[in-house]
């Protein structure tokens, strides 16, 4: 007997009593729950403010370190921690661990293999596997590994700008969510 799957509040739930996996994609689409409600204007403004502050700082750092590609994974992180703060992927443990693990893997793969289609593929796959093994899954981390390989980074990349940028984004998220009220972030630390 298998254990029940954990509930994911962010994914559409299927009407299990009406649809079975064998009924096909169209039957499952028709019975999926409705799209979540639009966030309030206040929620959207707080998200925009957090993104403006956090991304402004990490964008400056990314350009300072001559790594504009790093803005992409940090932008995806901002969408999670400012706009979807209750997601497991947005929690500090996952954000920090996911970026640092992925940066380490990306640098290591680059140092061993250089920049090739195979090293890019292997680097992202290994980063994903290590994030799963450590229970620190943060999807933008895959792009951090990719950035390390494509830009040929050394081990200092892990500390500056990845760790530094991640800490800045998290610090701004904590500040913005505290000012906002409601205490939605973080839902857990470790």
């Amino acid at each position: 007997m298998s254990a029940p799957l954990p509930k994911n509040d962010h994914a559409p739930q299927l009407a299990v009593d009406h649809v079975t996996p064998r009924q096909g994609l169209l039957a499952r689409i028709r019975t999926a729950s409705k799209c979540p409600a639009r966030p309030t204007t206040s929620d959207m403004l707080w998200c925009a403010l957090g993104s403006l502050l956090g991304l402004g700082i990490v964008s400056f750092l990314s350009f300072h370190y001559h790594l504009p590609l790093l803005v992409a994974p940090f932008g995806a992180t901002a969408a999670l921690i400012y706009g979807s703060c209750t997601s497991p992927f947005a929690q500090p443990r996952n954000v920090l661990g996911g970026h640092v693990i992925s940066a380490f893997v990306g640098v290591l793969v680059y140092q061993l293999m250089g920049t090739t289609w195979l090293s890019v593929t292997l680097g992202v796959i290994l980063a994903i596997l290590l994030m799963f093994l450590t229970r620190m899954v943060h999807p933008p981390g895959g792009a951090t590994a990719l950035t390390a390989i494509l830009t040929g980074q050394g081990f200092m990349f892990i500390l500056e700008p990845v760790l530094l940028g991640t800490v800045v984004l998290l610090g701004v998220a904590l500040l913005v969510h505290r000012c906002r009220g409601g205490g939605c972030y973080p839902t857990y630390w470790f």
Side-chain angles (χ1 to χ4, degrees), residues 68-168:
L69 279 178
L70 192 57
V71 175
F74 283 159
T77 295
L80 286 168
I81 64 178
Y82 304 123
S84 185
C85 61
T86 58
S87 167
F89 300 139
Q91 301 313 304
R93 166 194 167 92
N94 294 52
V95 174
L96 190 62
H99 277 300
V100 170
I101 287 168
S102 297
F104 175 77
V105 169
V107 169
L108 186 62
V109 168
Y110 170 75
Q111 296 296 321
L112 295 173
M113 299 176 67
T115 302
T116 66
W117 70 269
L118 184 58
S119 65
V120 167
T121 305
L122 189 61
V124 173
I125 291 169
L126 288 174
I128 292 168
L129 288 174
L130 276 176
M131 284 189 286
F132 274 117
L133 284 172
T134 58
R135 297 180 320 142
M136 290 188 268
V137 178
H138 183 63
T144 302
L146 179 72
T147 301
I149 296 167
L150 290 178
T151 60
Q153 295 301 308
F155 287 98
M156 278 306 294
F157 173 77
I158 301 164
L159 299 176
E160 293 179 328
V162 173
L163 180 61
L164 177 61
T166 304
V167 168
V168 166

Side-chain angles (χ1 to χ4, degrees), residues 11-31:
Q13 299 296 313
L14 298 178
V16 179
D17 54 340
H18 295 95
V19 179
T20 64
R22 292 187 171 197
Q23 285 181 303
L25 179 63
L26 289 177
R28 286 182 281 174
I29 290 172
R30 283 193 299 265
T31 59

